[in-house]
């Protein structure tokens, strides 16, 4: 979109009087005042406030090209990129947006403004994803990550942008564990309350799918404790939240009650055998966790009952749990007993907390009995 060059005051007056809605016209008086007085910080803040207003959309590109670029080297480069990204969203299509963003990234690719360069590069990657250029998106994200690793500190908005787009890349590639990690890192950089309800539900839905299908994810603790998951309550996807808690508790009965919903999600339906193994492993760790440390020798028959696997699968399930680091211990194949010395910690629901409370009470009673016995022995020996 080429613009006829004209003096800044004349351009601002034209935008104010002929284009801007009445409630935004006062901004242009501020723009001209700050520009004439060279108050670059105040001018930047005024522009950011203007660009945040939805009604400014038709003017963002003209103001960026004819006004902002004229003093771009004099303002904070990260904020300059923020203005550019806002303007780029008004491009007529993704190809135009890509060209726009690439120009911004090139402009701030300087040693003193690497944070701004990363911010712009990540947005280039986002648009390449939208265009289906997975290789180009990965290259841009790798470039951004390489620069991020050199920073001692950086604005959270830069990290949030990187993790968000990196997560979107892995989601498109169906790399569930990588998506899960990056999506949670993104949420750690933002205030969830600032996200729209639609975005919260979309993130929660994708995270739940990734948690269930991630081949290296056997502990959902961080997600189960995250408020983002509550956005699924009282929605058509609330069953997915319930399914996560069922998996975490190794609750086979609750899972079977929810399994009818799996057909609603082709990815889950297509990985039913993997989900079954994952649930059985969770049931195994839960069976170990419920027992006190001195009573963690489980017979194969007990494991069979707790996990509902076939008899010939018990040993394989134990070996799988050991190899994944979910438990530690040994297997006595002759006696058909698994002796577990450690089980991976997990987030507890109310029922599990109640079970732990009962175990602590039993332990307290045992300690009291031992104390009374020692005291009686001391008295008897006196």
């Amino acid at each position: 979109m080429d613009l006829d060059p004209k003096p800044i005051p004349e351009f601002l007056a034209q935008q104010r009087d002929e284009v801007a809605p009445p409630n935004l016209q006062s901004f242009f008086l501020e723009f001209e005042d700050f520009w004439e007085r060279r108050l670059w910080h105040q001018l930047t803040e005024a522009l950011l406030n203007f660009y945040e207003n939805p009604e400014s959309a038709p003017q963002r590109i003209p103001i960026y090209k004819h006004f902002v670029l004229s003093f771009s080297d004099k303002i904070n480069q990260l904020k300059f990129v923020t203005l550019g990204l806002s303007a780029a969203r008004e491009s007529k299509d993704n190809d135009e947006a890509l060209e726009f963003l690439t120009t911004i990234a090139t402009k701030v690719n300087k040693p003193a403004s690497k944070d701004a360069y990363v911010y712009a590069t990540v947005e280039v990657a986002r648009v390449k994803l939208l265009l289906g250029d997975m290789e180009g998106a990965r290259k841009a994200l790798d470039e951004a990550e390489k620069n991020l690793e050199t920073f001692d500190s950086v604005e959270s908005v830069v990290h949030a942008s990187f993790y968000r787009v990196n997560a979107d890349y892995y989601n498109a590639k169906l790399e569930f564990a990588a998506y899960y990690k990056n999506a949670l890192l993104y949420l750690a950089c933002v205030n969830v309350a600032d996200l729209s309800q639609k975005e919260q539900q979309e993130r929660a839905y994708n995270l739940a799918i990734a948690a269930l299908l991630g081949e290296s994810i056997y502990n959902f603790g961080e997600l189960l404790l995250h408020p983002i998951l509550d956005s699924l309550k009282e929605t058509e996807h609330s069953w997915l939240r319930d399914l996560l808690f069922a998996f975490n508790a190794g609750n086979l009965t609750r899972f079977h009650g929810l399994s009818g919903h799996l057909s609603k999600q082709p990815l889950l339906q297509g990985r039913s055998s993997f989900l079954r193994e994952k649930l059985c492993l969770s049931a195994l760790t839960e069976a170990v966790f419920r027992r006190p440390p001195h009573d963690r020798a489980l017979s194969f028959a007990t494991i069979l009952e707790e996990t509902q696997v076939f008899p010939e699968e018990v040993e394989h399930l134990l070996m799988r749990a050991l190899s994944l680091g979910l438990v530690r211990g040994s297997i006595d194949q002759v006696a058909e007993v698994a002796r577990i010395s450690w089980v991976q910690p997990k987030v507890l629901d109310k029922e599990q907390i109640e079970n732990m409370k009962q175990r602590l009470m039993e332990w307290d009673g045992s300690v009291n009995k031992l104390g009374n016995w020692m005291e009686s022995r001391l008295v008897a020996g006196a």
Side-chain angles (χ1 to χ4, degrees):
M1 179 178 177
D2 296 324
L3 299 166
D4 294 331
K6 60 179 66 176
I8 295 298
E10 184 180 340
F11 169 76
L12 292 176
Q14 181 260 332
Q15 289 288 314
R16 181 191 67 223
D17 299 334
E18 299 178 18
V19 186
N23 60 308
L24 296 184
Q25 290 179 357
S26 61
F27 276 104
F28 291 86
L29 298 176
E30 289 185 350
F31 296 162
E32 186 172 358
D33 177 45
F34 293 145
W35 176 75
E36 288 179 345
R37 294 161 61 192
R38 298 178 179 274
L39 299 176
W40 307 122
H41 172 72
Q42 291 86 338
L43 177 56
T44 304
E45 294 303 313
L47 282 162
L48 288 169
N49 289 333
F50 174 79
Y51 272 58
E52 286 175 1
N53 191 305
E55 293 184 75
S56 70
Q59 294 177 278
R60 290 173 189 169
I61 290 179
I63 289 173
Y64 173 83
K65 287 189 172 183
H66 196 84
F67 184 47
V68 175
L69 283 177
S70 69
F71 55 84
S72 60
D73 292 337
K74 297 179 174 65
I75 65 175
N76 179 289
Q77 295 297 279
L78 191 57
K79 292 180 178 180
F80 163 67
V81 170
T82 301
L83 293 170
L85 301 189
S86 183
R89 295 188 192 104
E90 307 311 317
S91 301
K92 65 181 180 182
D93 54 37
N94 288 328
D95 288 312
E96 183 178 275
L98 180 59
E99 182 181 354
F100 196 105
L101 291 166
T102 302
T103 301
I104 295 173
T106 302
K107 184 172 178 58
V108 296
N109 188 10
K110 303 170 185 175
S113 55
K114 282 297 183 181
D115 56 343
Y117 173 66
V118 168
Y119 196 23
T121 300
V122 167
E123 283 301 300
V124 168
R126 182 186 67 82
V127 176
K128 287 186 175 183
L129 271 181
L130 295 175
L131 289 168
D133 182 6
M134 303 299 288
E135 184 178 347
R138 185 68 262 163
K139 184 177 179 181
L141 286 167
D142 288 343
E143 171 73 8
E145 185 172 26
K146 186 173 79 171
N147 280 283
L148 273 174
E149 290 173 351
T150 66
F151 298 153
D152 293 327
S153 62
V154 67
E155 293 284 345
S156 60
V157 67
V158 179
H159 267 133
S161 177
F162 171 76
Y163 291 131
R164 173 174 52 81
V165 179
N166 211 30
D168 289 344
Y169 170 84
Y170 287 120
N171 193 42
K173 296 279 286 184
L174 299 182
E175 295 184 22
F176 300 110
Y179 170 80
Y180 185 82
K181 174 185 174 182
N182 280 274
L184 285 176
L185 286 170
Y186 163 65
L187 292 174
C189 296
V190 300
N191 183 352
V192 174
D194 292 337
L195 305 179
S196 68
Q197 191 66 16
K198 180 181 178 182
E199 185 177 355
Q200 288 185 42
Q201 290 175 4
E202 184 178 339
R203 277 294 164 200
Y205 179 86
N206 289 335
L207 273 165
I209 297 297
L212 291 168
L213 295 181
E215 294 189 2
S216 60
I217 304 172
Y218 289 87
N219 190 331
F220 310 149
E222 192 172 357
L223 178 58
L224 296 179
L225 292 174
H226 204 288
I228 193 78
L229 205 56
D230 290 337
S231 67
L232 294 180
K233 286 182 176 179
E234 299 179 5
T235 70
E236 62 179 317
H237 303 306
S238 60
W239 62 271
L240 202 49
R241 179 181 181 276
D242 297 337
L243 192 63
L244 280 177
F245 279 95
F247 262 79
N248 185 65
N251 191 323
L252 296 162
T253 302
R254 194 187 307 177
F255 168 78
H256 292 312
L258 295 165
S259 60
H261 292 286
L262 295 181
S263 60
K264 298 176 182 178
Q265 220 305 328
L267 288 173
L268 295 180
Q269 189 177 28
R271 300 289 301 279
S272 57
S273 59
F274 171 74
L275 290 174
R276 176 180 175 271
E277 180 190 72
K278 199 167 192 174
L279 178 64
C280 291
L281 284 167
S282 184
L284 172 63
T285 57
E286 179 63 19
V288 175
F289 187 80
R290 284 200 309 268
R291 289 165 168 75
H294 64 271
D295 184 27
R296 287 183 172 173
L298 279 70
S299 68
F300 282 18
T302 298
I303 295 171
L304 190 67
E305 180 183 353
E306 294 282 359
T307 63
Q308 297 179 17
V309 296
F310 295 110
E312 62 272 17
E313 295 177 321
V314 173
E315 193 171 336
H316 172 76
L317 186 72
L318 285 167
M319 293 176 66
R320 182 76 172 141
L322 288 166
S323 67
L324 290 168
L326 302 179
V327 297
R328 296 174 192 157
S330 59
I331 304 173
D332 187 331
Q333 294 172 308
V334 176
E336 295 192 336
V337 172
R339 295 180 175 84
I340 309 300
S341 59
W342 176 89
V343 61
Q344 185 184 76
K346 62 168 67 178
V347 170
L348 308 180
D349 59 24
K350 289 182 180 179
E351 183 179 342
Q352 291 169 305
I353 291 173
E354 185 62 35
N355 289 335
M356 176 173 276
K357 174 186 173 183
Q358 188 62 37
R359 290 207 307 276
L360 287 171
M361 290 174 65
E362 292 173 359
W363 174 79
D364 183 58
S366 298
V367 171
N368 285 333
K369 287 180 181 178
L370 178 60
N372 292 335
W373 179 80
M374 292 179 67
E375 184 177 348
S376 66
R377 296 289 292 178
L378 287 171
V379 171

